[in-house]
Amino acid sequence: MKRVFGVKKDKEPPPSIQDASDRINKRGETVEEKIKKLDVELSKYKEQIKKTRPGPAQEAVKARAMRVLKQKRMYEGQRDMMYNQTFNLDQVAFAAEGIKDAQQTMSALKSANKELKGMMKTVKIQDIDNLQDEMMDLMDVSSEIQDTLGRSYSVPDDIDEDELLGELDALEADMGMETESDGVPSYLQPDKESDLDAELNLPSAPMGYAGRSNAHADDELGLPAVPRASLRD
C-alpha cells in the first residue's frame, strides 16, 4: 500500500517570529552592502563628470551614473520595506512575549490562591481570639505571682499613707535646717568646746604668763624676770 499511495510526509512547523525576523535582517544586510558598492561607483562617476568637458563623453558618463542611481534607489526602497517588516515582526514578538508573561502571571496567581485557601482552612479567627484571651489570662496570673513574691513581710498593711507623708515632710525640713546650719561661718557658730568643758566642770587652762605670781613677774619684753639673787651668784 505504501508503494501505491506513498508515505505521508510530515509537515514542517511554521517559522517562528524570531526566525522570520532573522531572515529579513540578513536580506537587509545584503541589500545594504549593494547600496554601499553603488555609492562607491557613483562617486567615481562624479569625479569623471568633473574632469571631462561638456560633450558626448560627459553625457555617456552621466547616463551610467543615472543608471547606478536608479539601482541605488530601488535597493533603498527594498531596504526600507524590509526594515518595516522587521519592525512589524518585532512588535508582534513583543506582544506575544507580553501574553506569555501574562499567562505565567495568571498561573502563578492561581497556584498562590489555591495554596492560600488551603492555609486559611487551618487558621480560624475564633482560634486566634481564644489564644489571645488565654495569653491575657496567663499574663494577669503572672503579674499576680510577681506581686505576691515581691510582698514585704516587715511592713504592716494598716499604715496610714497620710501619716507617712507627714513624716517625710518633717524629715525633709530637718535636713534643710541642717544644711543651713552647715552654711554658717565657724566664727558665728557657738563654741562647742566651751560648752563641753562647762558640762564636764573642768578647770580653765592658764592664759599665757598672766597667771603667774607676782614673784615671777615678767620683764618689759614679756619674758619671766630672773631673780636678782641668781644674778649676783
Side-chain angles (χ1 to χ4, degrees):
M1 296 294 293
K2 292 182 179 180
R3 295 179 180 178
V4 177
F5 297 100
V7 180
K8 184 178 180 180
K9 296 182 179 179
D10 296 333
K11 293 183 178 179
E12 295 181 358
S16 63
I17 296 176
Q18 188 63 37
D19 295 338
S21 180
D22 293 340
R23 182 178 178 182
I24 294 173
N25 288 329
K26 290 181 180 179
R27 289 178 58 194
E29 292 175 359
T30 303
V31 174
E32 190 68 31
E33 291 294 331
K34 292 181 178 180
I35 292 174
K36 290 180 180 180
K37 292 180 179 180
L38 293 175
D39 287 335
V40 174
E41 190 174 356
L42 281 175
S43 62
K44 293 180 180 179
Y45 289 147
K46 289 179 181 178
E47 293 294 331
Q48 292 179 3
I49 292 172
K50 291 179 180 178
K51 294 179 181 179
T52 56
R53 296 179 179 179
Q58 191 180 37
E59 293 296 331
V61 175
K62 286 182 179 181
R64 294 176 184 174
M66 289 295 295
R67 184 177 65 252
V68 173
L69 186 59
K70 289 180 180 179
Q71 293 178 1
K72 179 183 175 182
R73 298 300 182 191
M74 181 186 65
Y75 286 128
E76 287 177 351
Q78 293 179 358
R79 182 192 60 187
D80 295 339
M81 181 181 63
M82 285 186 288
Y83 284 167
N84 291 332
Q85 293 177 1
T86 304
F87 178 77
N88 293 333
L89 290 174
D90 291 339
Q91 292 296 319
V92 174
F94 181 78
E97 291 295 329
I99 294 174
K100 289 181 181 179
D101 294 339
Q103 290 177 348
Q104 292 179 358
T105 303
M106 288 297 297
S107 299
L109 289 175
K110 289 180 180 179
S111 178
N113 188 19
K114 183 178 180 181
E115 185 177 359
L116 186 60
K117 286 181 179 179
M119 290 188 295
M120 290 299 293
K121 291 180 180 179
T122 60
V123 179
K124 297 180 180 180
I125 302 298
Q126 186 63 35
D127 294 340
I128 297 174
D129 292 337
N130 295 334
L131 181 61
Q132 291 290 340
D133 294 338
E134 291 180 1
M135 290 298 296
M136 292 178 65
D137 294 338
L138 290 175
M139 293 301 294
D140 293 338
V141 173
S142 177
S143 298
E144 292 179 1
I145 293 173
Q146 295 297 327
D147 293 339
T148 303
L149 292 176
R151 184 181 301 170
S152 178
Y153 300 104
S154 60
V155 178
D157 296 334
D158 56 350
I159 294 179
D160 189 3
E161 293 185 359
D162 295 336
E163 184 179 354
L164 292 177
L165 292 175
E167 292 182 3
L168 181 60
D169 294 337
L171 180 60
E172 291 179 353
D174 294 340
M175 293 176 64
M177 293 177 64
E178 291 178 0
T179 304
E180 292 178 358
S181 64
D182 293 340
V184 178
S186 61
Y187 61 85
L188 295 179
Q189 295 181 0
D191 191 358
K192 296 181 179 179
E193 294 181 357
S194 61
D195 295 341
L196 182 60
D197 294 340
E199 292 178 359
L200 297 176
N201 295 321
L202 297 176
S204 59
M207 302 299 293
Y209 295 94
R212 293 175 180 271
S213 61
N214 294 331
H216 299 284
D218 296 338
D219 58 4
E220 58 184 0
L221 297 177
L223 298 175
V226 180
R228 293 180 180 181
S230 63
L231 291 176
R232 291 176 183 179
D233 294 339

